[in-house]
Amino acid sequence: MDRPDKTTHFGFRDVPLDDKQRLVNSVFHSVASRYDLMNDLMSGGLHRVWKDIMVNTLDPPRGDRPFALLDVAGGTGDIAFRAAKAAGTGFHATVCDINLDMLRVGEARAVARHLDDRVSFIEGNAEELAFPDRAFDGYTIAFGIRNVPRIDRALSEAFRVLKPGSRFLCLEFSTVDMPGLDRLYELFSFKVIPPLGRAVTGDAESYQYLIESIRKFPKPAAFADMIRAAGFSRVNWQCLSCCIVALHSGWRL
Ligand SMILES: C[S@@+](CC[C@H](N)C(=O)[O-])C[C@H]1O[C@@H](n2cnc3c(N)ncnc32)[C@H](O)[C@@H]1O
């Protein structure tokens, strides 16, 4: 049981652990309708490349072999749609997210893409998944885990719902490892992104939180230790774009 006085980070602020989820929910409530546009503007379209790399790594079967993907913190469905396009007829994705505003945008996108029979959307918390043990052939979480207050619980839940022999993949912002680019990236993050957020969504504060939360997220080696602690094997990670982003992998064996 967590002590009621336990704190965590909400961006650079220390907040009571139990308050973080409410604050995170208000961020995504505020930006949901323009979330996808902002991703393109902030990353210059690079988030599409990173997500494609994640789906290529997942490598869902192309044929009719059944494959059930759980995409947690799946928001507006980007990973699930990419995986559905890459996969064969046996594929089905469940997008689970705590925020109904994000899920509603995702459902409308699924209908527009004629993918609503292969991708379903369910409200739920990564820390307490409402799915049976060993139910899924793959688990993905993209740019989601740093928003979850109790990351260790989310990782244990990922392990629980995966079938033995299946893979956990997590795409998350990391720490730029190229001198020179790191300073440019800091400058761009703090000087450009919040004003851009204000111009596009009317909300600079949510984007201030997003960039601060990136700085507070554990470094790849420390996060890999957390993935191992949840029970995963063959844990590793791959830096993408000078480690702006890292793709973490683990197997439930
Ligand atoms: C940055 S978005 C990522 C969306 C999508 N995966 C993508 O890559 O475009 C983060 C998502 O995490 C969701 N989220 C935050 N806390 C969560 C939790 N405890 N359980 C499930 N989803 C959560 C938010 O609602 C939001 O949709």
Side-chain angles (χ1 to χ4, degrees):
M1 196 66 177
D2 293 302
R3 294 199 329 266
D5 59 345
K6 216 168 171 187
T7 61
T8 187
H9 302 294
F10 176 74
F12 290 163
R13 277 163 58 196
D14 278 337
V15 296
L17 193 55
D18 291 331
D19 286 1
K20 173 161 173 168
Q21 192 69 64
R22 183 179 48 77
L23 292 162
V24 165
N25 293 352
S26 70
V27 165
F28 290 101
H29 169 72
S30 163
V31 306
S33 63
R34 314 222 92 191
Y35 173 79
D36 296 300
L37 172 64
M38 267 303 281
N39 275 351
D40 276 331
L41 295 176
M42 284 188 300
S43 72
L46 263 180
H47 76 107
R48 295 168 182 259
V49 176
W50 299 326
K51 287 170 176 168
D52 282 342
I53 292 172
M54 182 186 220
V55 168
N56 286 341
T57 307
L58 179 71
D59 194 20
R62 306 282 185 278
D64 57 2
R65 181 156 63 88
F67 187 95
L69 172 68
L70 179 62
D71 182 39
V72 173
T76 60
D78 256 8
I79 297 297
F81 298 151
R82 282 180 158 70
K85 277 194 188 155
T89 51
F91 176 89
H92 186 271
T94 303
V95 176
C96 171
D97 196 286
I98 204 162
N99 194 306
L100 268 180
D101 300 296
M102 295 289 279
L103 290 172
R104 285 196 182 117
V105 174
E107 278 169 338
R109 293 174 85 204
V111 171
R113 289 159 192 233
H114 307 289
L115 286 173
D116 46 322
D117 55 337
R118 307 184 69 205
V119 179
S120 41
F121 292 80
I122 293 182
E123 188 184 3
N125 187 340
E127 294 179 2
E128 294 172 84
L129 295 173
F131 304 107
D133 296 356
R134 303 170 182 222
F136 293 96
D137 302 288
Y139 176 113
T140 48
I141 182 163
F143 307 116
I145 202 135
R146 74 179 190 284
N147 299 295
V148 174
R150 298 165 187 87
I151 291 176
D152 52 341
R153 287 194 192 171
L155 293 172
S156 297
E157 280 292 85
F159 188 83
R160 181 184 68 75
V161 300
L162 276 173
K163 293 177 188 169
S166 52
R167 196 171 195 180
F168 164 87
L169 285 171
C170 173
L171 194 60
E172 192 48 270
F173 287 104
S174 189
T175 308
V176 174
D177 63 2
M178 185 193 265
L181 181 66
D182 51 357
R183 292 181 52 197
L184 213 65
Y185 179 68
E186 285 301 292
L187 213 67
F188 174 77
S189 299
F190 285 92
K191 298 283 181 218
V192 177
I193 291 182
L196 187 64
R198 179 182 298 115
V200 175
T201 68
D203 178 358
E205 272 176 30
S206 289
Y207 284 92
Q208 183 72 27
Y209 157 72
L210 289 176
I211 56 176
E212 290 179 3
S213 63
I214 292 169
R215 272 76 194 166
K216 285 291 183 187
F217 190 69
K219 301 269 182 290
F223 185 51
D225 284 343
M226 294 173 76
I227 298 171
R228 274 185 211 101
F232 288 101
S233 305
R234 291 165 54 194
V235 173
N236 59 28
W237 74 89
Q238 181 189 351
C239 273
L240 308 177
S241 307
C242 303
C243 237
I244 292 176
V245 160
L247 177 61
H248 290 266
S249 164
W251 292 83
R252 176 170 182 170
L253 296 181

